[in-house]
Amino acid sequence: MLKENLKMSNPLLVFVPLLVLSLSLSLVTSTSLMKEEESMRVLLRNLDNQKPSSSVQEAAAMGVLQRLLPTHVSSFDFKLISKKVCGGSSCFYIKNSNISSRRGSEIKIEGTTAVEITSGLHWYLKYWCGAHISWDKTGGIQIASVPKPGSLPPVKDEGVLVKRPVPWNYYQNVVTSSYSYVWWDWNRWEKEIDWMALQGINLPLAFTGQESIWQKVFKGFNLSNSDLSDFFGGPAFLAWARMANLHGWGGPLPQSWLDQQLVLQKVILSRMIELGMTPVLPSFSGNVPAALKKIFPSANITRLGDWNTVNGDRRWCCTFLLDASDPLFVQIGESFVKQQIKEYGDITKIYSCDTFNENLPPTNDPKYISQLGAAVYKAMSKGNNDAVWLMQGWLFSSNSDFWHPPQMRALLHSVPFGKMIVLDLFAEVKPIWEKSSQFYGTPYIWCMLHNFGGNIEMYGILDAVSKGPIEARVSQNSTMVGVGMCMEGIEQNPVVYELMSEMAFRSEKVQLKEWLKSYSRRRYGKEIHQMEVAWEILYRTIYNCTDGIADHNKDYIVEFPDWNPSWNSGSNMSKRKTQHHLRQETTFRFSFAETKSVLPQPHLWYSTEEVIHALQLFIDAGNSLAGSLTYRYDLVDLTRQVLSKLANQVYLDSLAAFKHKNAKALSSASEKFAELIMDIDMLLASDDNFLLGTWLESAKKCATTPSEMRQYEWNARTQVTMWYDTTKNNQSKLHDYANKFWSGLLEGYYLPRASTYFGHLLRSLKANQSFNLEEWRREWISYSSKWQSGATLYPVKAQGHALTISKALFKKYFS
C-alpha cells in the first residue's frame, strides 16, 4: 500500500515525516486488528467451552426437525463436528448419507453447533426441496413441496460446505420484548426459538424475566416490594422502564407476573443453550428506584430529563440514575450479574447494557463518559470475570448532536480492548461504521433495524441488506464480527427477514432478481409467472426505499394528524406524492413535523400505480394458489398497503374541500375515508394474522386474577393506541407510535376517531367558523381513554374469503 502511494505521488512532495506518520498509523491499525482478532478467538473459545455435549446438541437439532417436519425424522442424520473441519470457522456441511437403503437416512447434515445443523437443514429444505419457513403470523411454513421420505433430492458430489464469514448472527432489539413478545407463553417461545435456529441465529437477546432478578437484587440493598411498585412499568411497557425512559407507567407489576416470567426465562435459556446459542443477558446501567436515595442518602443519584410525557408528570417521567462514579454502582451491577448466574448458571459471557438510551448524560466531558463506561464494565466483570459488553449503537444515531468523535471514543475505549461489541443498529439506512473509523477499532455487528413500533407496513431496502454486510466486512481495517436483526417489532415483511438471515452465511452479494424468483417459488410452493413478475415490481418499488428516510407507518388511518386545517399553509394538499424529510425531535422519536405551516404526510417512496399493477397480478394468480396460507397473508397485506395509500389521498382531498369551503365535497371525501376504513377492516378480518382480538386475548391469558386481567388488557390496548400519558386536551406525544392495521382496531378505534374529526370539520364549515382543534381533542381523548379501559370482545378467528374480498375491493376502487 505504501509503495502504491509513492508511485502515485510526486516524489518532490513526499516528506519523510509524512511517511513516518503513515507507517506509524498503519502499524497501529494492524496491531489493533490483531488484538481484536485474538480477543474474538479467546471469547469464542470460552463460549465454545460452555456449550453442551454433542449428544445434547444433536438431540436439540433433531427436536427442531421433529416439530417442523415430523414425517421426515428418519430421513436426516445430524452430527456435530469440530471447527477444525471448517478451517476454524463455524459451518454446516450437507451431504448424502452413505446408507444405500431408501428406508433409512438420506441426507446427512453436519455442523459446528446445533444452530449450524438446523441452518443446514433449512438451507437444504429451501434450495433442494423448495420449502419456505416464516413466522406463523406472516403465513407460516410451506412444506408441501418437500418430497416424501425416500425421495429427497441428493446433493452433488461431495456435498455442500457453507461457512459463516463472521462469527455472530444477532437477534432482537431491547424493545422487541414489549412490542412483540410480551404476552408469549412457552408454546409461542418454542416456535420462535425453532425459527431462530433455522435462520442461523446464535446470539439472541434474552431479556425475559429480569424484573424478578432485580427484585431479589434490590431486596439485598434493603428495598421492599412496595419500594419497587413505581419502578417497574406495566407488562407492555417494561422495555422502557428497563432503559430508564419511564417508571411505573402501566404498573404496578404483580408478583404473579414476576414469578411466571422467571420460570419462562429459565425454559427459554435452557432451549437456547441446548441448541448451542449464546444468550445475551442484561446488566446494570444505573437505573434505580427512587427509594434507593432514601436508603443511601449520600449516594450520587440524580433525575434524568423528561422522555415524551405531555407535561412532565413525575409519576412516570424523569427516572433516577445512580452515577457511575459512586461505589454503589459497581456493587449493584455486580450483584445483578451474580444473581443471574445463581438463577441460570454460568451460561454466557456477553451482557447487554445501553447507557443513556434516548436520554443524555449530564455532561459531554469525555473524561466523565470514559469513567461511566469503565464503571459499567467493572460491574459486569466483577460479576463475571470474562464478561463482554454488548451495546446498541442507537445512541450514536438518536443523539448524534451529542455523540461527536471525542465522546464516542471515550465510551468505546473505556473498557479493555475486545471487551465491547457494538451493534450498528441502523446500518441498512444510517451506518455508523463508515463515519466512525469502524467504531474507532471496536468490534461491531452490522444490523438491520427495519421496523419501528411493530407497525404493519410493507417496506424494505433489499439492496442495502444484500450488499451492506459484504461491503462492511471487506472494507479496509474492518472490525465487523457479525450481522444482526434489530427490529422493534417482528411478524411482518417476511421477505426482508429471510434475506437478512441468509446474510449470516453469504460471503458475496446476493443477486436479488434471481433470489426473488426462487423466493416466490418457495413461498407459494410452485412456479407462477404472475407472482414472479409481481415480486419483481415489489422489489423495485416497496422494497427499494433509497431516500434515506426511516420508515414509520404514518398512514392517516392509523396515525391521524393532530392538525388544524384552518391553518392555511398554502401547500398543495391534493398532491398525490409528497416527500418530507425526516426530522428528529427532542423526544428522540422519528416523526414528521406537525406545525401550523406544514401538514404531516406519510412516507411514500414508490409509484403507487406500479404497486396497484402488482396487486392485480397477485389477484390473477389467486385461483392457482387456493388454500395457500402464505399467499393469503401476502394478498391481504398488499391489498391493505394499496388501499391505505389511497386513503391518504382521500384525506388530503377532504382537507382541500374544507379549505375551499366545499361542504358537499368534504362530506363525500369523509364518507369515502370512513368507507375505506370499513373495507380494510373487512379485508383484514379474513386472515387470522390481522386480528386485534388475538393480541387482547393473549394479554388476558397471562392474568391470574380479574384485576390482573383488566390491567393487562389496558396495557395491551394502550400500547397500540395512545401509548403514553395524555391530558384532557393533549394527546400523547407517542400516540399511534405502535399503530397496527388490525381488524377490530380499525372499526373500533380508528373509525370513530376519523368520524369525530370529520364531523367537527363539517360543522365548522357549515357554521362558517374555524375548526376548533381543542374541542375535537377533548372529545377524542375522552373516547380513547374509555376505549383503552374497555372490555369489548373482538374476534379471534378469521371471517370471509380473502381472495373474494380483495377482488371485490380492487374492482370497487381501481377498475
Side-chain angles (χ1 to χ4, degrees), residues 33 433 438 444 469-480:
L33 285 173
W433 70 267
Q438 307 274 350
Y444 74 94
I470 309 299
E471 293 175 348
R473 181 176 57 82
V474 302
S475 62
Q476 187 177 19
N477 300 325
S478 176
T479 57
M480 176 181 159

Side-chain angles (χ1 to χ4, degrees), residues 68-69 71-72 75-76 124-126 128-132 142-149 151-153 525:
L68 174 68
L69 206 60
T71 54
H72 289 65
S75 299
F76 292 90
Y124 174 79
L125 292 175
K126 283 201 296 187
W128 277 264
C129 303
H132 172 78
Q142 186 291 110
I143 54 175
S145 61
V146 179
K148 294 179 180 179
S151 303
L152 291 181

Side-chain angles (χ1 to χ4, degrees), residues 5-80:
N5 288 337
L6 284 171
K7 288 179 182 178
M8 293 172 64
S9 304
N10 184 335
L12 296 176
L13 300 178
V14 178
F15 295 95
V16 172
L18 183 59
L19 289 174
V20 172
L21 176 61
S22 176
L23 186 58
S24 299
L25 289 173
S26 177
L27 288 172
V28 169
T29 302
S30 177
T31 302
S32 298
L33 285 173
M34 289 173 62
K35 286 182 178 179
E36 182 239 313
E37 290 171 1
E38 177 58 27
S39 66
M40 281 297 109
R41 279 194 292 268
V42 171
L43 173 60
L44 291 167
R45 188 163 57 246
N46 288 340
L47 291 169
D48 286 342
N49 291 336
Q50 288 183 307
K51 296 194 188 307
S53 66
S54 298
S55 60
V56 169
Q57 293 191 60
E58 288 165 2
M62 192 56 69
V64 175
L65 173 60
Q66 173 73 50
R67 291 182 290 276
L68 174 68
L69 206 60
T71 54
H72 289 65
V73 170
S74 61
S75 299
F76 292 90
D77 182 26
F78 294 160
K79 183 183 178 182
L80 215 69

Side-chain angles (χ1 to χ4, degrees), residues 132 134 138 458-462 492-499 512-544 610-611 613-619 621 625 628 630-638:
H132 172 78
S134 67
T138 56
M458 293 181 73
Y459 158 80
I461 318 174
L462 295 185
Q492 32 73 31
N493 290 288
V495 64
V496 175
Y497 293 90
E498 178 157 336
L499 178 63
L512 284 172
K513 287 187 177 181
E514 290 304 312
W515 187 87
L516 283 167
K517 284 184 180 180
S518 171
Y519 175 83
S520 174
R521 293 192 292 268
R522 297 194 310 270
R523 182 149 172 84
Y524 310 120
K526 58 179 74 174
E527 183 176 341
I528 297 180
H529 177 68
Q530 293 103 315
M531 300 303 288
E532 291 182 3
V533 175
W535 272 105
E536 187 173 337
I537 293 172
L538 296 181
Y539 166 45
R540 67 172 182 259
T541 54
I542 285 176
Y543 292 111
N544 185 36
E610 284 193 83
V611 175
H613 178 52
L615 175 57
Q616 177 71 74
L617 291 169
F618 260 75
I619 292 172
L625 291 169
S628 168
T630 48
Y631 168 75
R632 186 179 72 181
Y633 173 86
D634 289 346
L635 175 68
V636 170
D637 201 24
L638 182 56

Side-chain angles (χ1 to χ4, degrees), residues 183 235 250 252-258 260 699-715:
W183 312 120
L253 206 57
Q255 186 63 44
S256 59
W257 175 274
L258 297 171
Q260 288 173 353
K700 290 190 283 185
K701 284 179 182 178
C702 295
T704 61
T705 66
S707 63
E708 287 179 13
M709 186 179 294
R710 289 191 295 272
Q711 180 190 1
Y712 296 174
E713 182 170 6
W714 183 91
N715 268 253

Side-chain angles (χ1 to χ4, degrees), residues 16 280 564 644 659 785:
V16 172
V280 179
N564 190 337
S644 67
K659 178 183 177 183
S785 297

Side-chain angles (χ1 to χ4, degrees), residues 249-270:
W249 177 255
L253 206 57
Q255 186 63 44
S256 59
W257 175 274
L258 297 171
D259 297 338
Q260 288 173 353
Q261 294 296 298
L262 181 61
V263 172
L264 180 58
Q265 170 75 334
K266 290 180 179 180
V267 181
I268 291 168
L269 292 173
S270 177

